Amino acid sequence: MTLNPLHKGTSLILSVDGVDKSFDGFKAIDDLNFYLKEGELHTVIGPNGAGKSTFMDLITARTRPDKGRIVYHGPDGHDIDLTKTREHHVSRMGICRKFQNPTVYNSHSVYDNLLLSLNVGRGVLDTLFYRTSKSDDEKIHDVLKTIRLEGRRNDKAGALSHGQKQWLEIGMMLVQDPKIMLVDEPAAGMSDEETERTGELLVSLEGSHSLIVIEHDMDFVRQIARRVTVLHQGHVLKEGNFEDVRNDPKVIEVYLGRQQRNH
């Protein structure tokens, strides 16, 4: 298993080594090195155009790098090069991605949204007529408790608030037993209370799941941050704990200072 020399003895689940990616001459990712530890909650921040979305696209094989390796260290001890793996196979490995805007089945109940996600590979009608097993129902019940929507299980997903839809989509990932969860700006558009609860939810998943969370809201980052990576022009500008990152002069210059001016 590949180990980042900065974290000797630590079990890694994902390694990104020397990755480049250009689009029409523009270098979106530049010699990127990134390491995710098993069970870690790792936050990624950076200004617009820093390469955050491309980074997610590369991990999920939505796009291919021009150079470098992205390796998933599987639970069976086998290393899988994601740069040579098809996108749907990456998803089946348990590398799940949640985009910024929640995508749920608004006309179906909260429970059925989780059921549709649990039974990957079935069509909508097949799933709706599928008779759940006891273990299926127990899993969905546990996820409903985790995302704090057990009282809304029979409500239509379209009736949920924006924040609740975000939690439901995280639940739709959880029922698939994900190995790595990629979560893109989960706090965007939320009320203060929803933001705090979202942070509590993500922190509760640490240890049992490995998470990469992209976020702009620095108050939210402070709430969930364990290790923070700052991307700038497709390269790691700084990595460390929240205070290290927040007080770094280069980070203030290219990102945090710009954020303060925009507010």
Side-chain angles (χ1 to χ4, degrees):
M1 179 177 288
T2 303
L3 289 179
N4 178 355
L6 296 177
H7 301 284
K8 289 182 180 179
T10 299
S11 179
L12 296 181
I13 193 168
L14 184 74
S15 300
V16 178
D17 293 299
V19 168
D20 287 356
K21 180 62 183 178
S22 297
F23 298 99
D24 297 324
F26 171 73
K27 205 159 196 179
I29 298 292
D30 181 14
D31 192 27
L32 180 62
N33 296 289
F34 178 93
Y35 304 93
L36 179 68
K37 294 180 280 187
E38 192 170 355
E40 179 185 16
L41 171 55
H42 193 137
T43 310
V44 177
I45 65 173
N48 291 331
K52 300 185 298 298
S53 294
T54 303
F55 174 51
M56 293 283 207
D57 288 344
L58 289 165
I59 293 173
T60 55
R62 198 177 191 189
T63 190
R64 303 288 184 190
D66 302 322
K67 190 180 95 173
R69 294 183 77 216
I70 302 173
V71 177
Y72 168 59
H73 306 291
D76 56 0
H78 289 98
D79 289 351
I80 301 171
D81 188 346
L82 300 182
T83 67
K84 299 177 181 178
T85 308
R86 293 185 178 183
E87 184 177 2
H88 66 280
H89 288 153
V90 172
S91 177
R92 287 177 186 171
M93 289 176 197
I95 301 175
C96 301
R97 180 177 183 180
K98 183 203 169 309
F99 290 87
Q100 180 177 344
N101 295 319
T103 304
V104 299
Y105 300 102
N106 284 320
S107 61
H108 296 301
S109 70
V110 168
Y111 181 93
D112 283 341
N113 269 266
L114 296 174
L115 180 60
L116 284 163
S117 301
L118 175 68
N119 301 303
V120 177
R122 295 190 177 94
V124 173
L125 289 177
D126 291 335
T127 303
L128 291 176
F129 287 105
Y130 168 72
R131 181 171 294 179
T132 58
S133 66
K134 183 178 180 181
S135 62
D136 288 342
D137 198 59
E138 287 175 350
K139 178 180 283 189
I140 292 174
H141 178 71
D142 288 344
V143 169
L144 284 168
K145 287 179 64 177
T146 298
I147 63 177
R148 300 185 186 181
L149 290 178
E150 62 265 44
R152 305 294 301 272
R153 61 180 287 150
N154 296 318
D155 294 349
K156 293 281 174 50
L160 300 177
S161 70
H162 172 72
Q164 290 170 330
K165 287 180 180 178
Q166 296 277 33
W167 304 335
L168 175 57
E169 191 169 20
I170 291 173
M172 291 164 72
M173 296 169 69
L174 288 174
V175 294
Q176 299 175 50
D177 297 321
K179 303 300 184 293
I180 299 175
M181 299 175 66
L182 309 176
V183 186
D184 194 355
E185 295 191 41
M190 287 189 177
S191 66
D192 290 344
E193 181 181 357
E194 287 176 333
T195 298
E196 184 174 354
R197 289 186 62 174
T198 301
E200 292 170 354
L201 170 59
L202 293 174
V203 169
S204 75
L205 301 178
E206 182 183 22
S208 56
H209 299 280
S210 307
L211 300 95
I212 300 174
V213 180
I214 288 179
E215 189 50 67
H216 277 296
D217 185 328
M218 292 305 292
D219 289 333
F220 182 71
V221 172
R222 180 188 290 108
Q223 181 187 357
I224 69 169
R226 300 299 187 264
R227 190 155 56 110
V228 181
T229 294
V230 185
L231 292 187
H232 178 57
Q233 298 179 345
H235 192 77
V236 174
L237 177 68
K238 177 72 177 180
E239 186 170 282
N241 62 39
F242 181 80
E243 292 302 323
D244 289 341
V245 166
R246 186 181 69 167
N247 296 319
D248 184 87
K250 290 183 179 178
V251 176
I252 294 170
E253 178 185 351
V254 306
Y255 181 51
L256 298 182
R258 186 182 306 175
Q259 269 202 330
Q260 291 167 2
R261 288 192 296 271
N262 290 338
H263 289 291

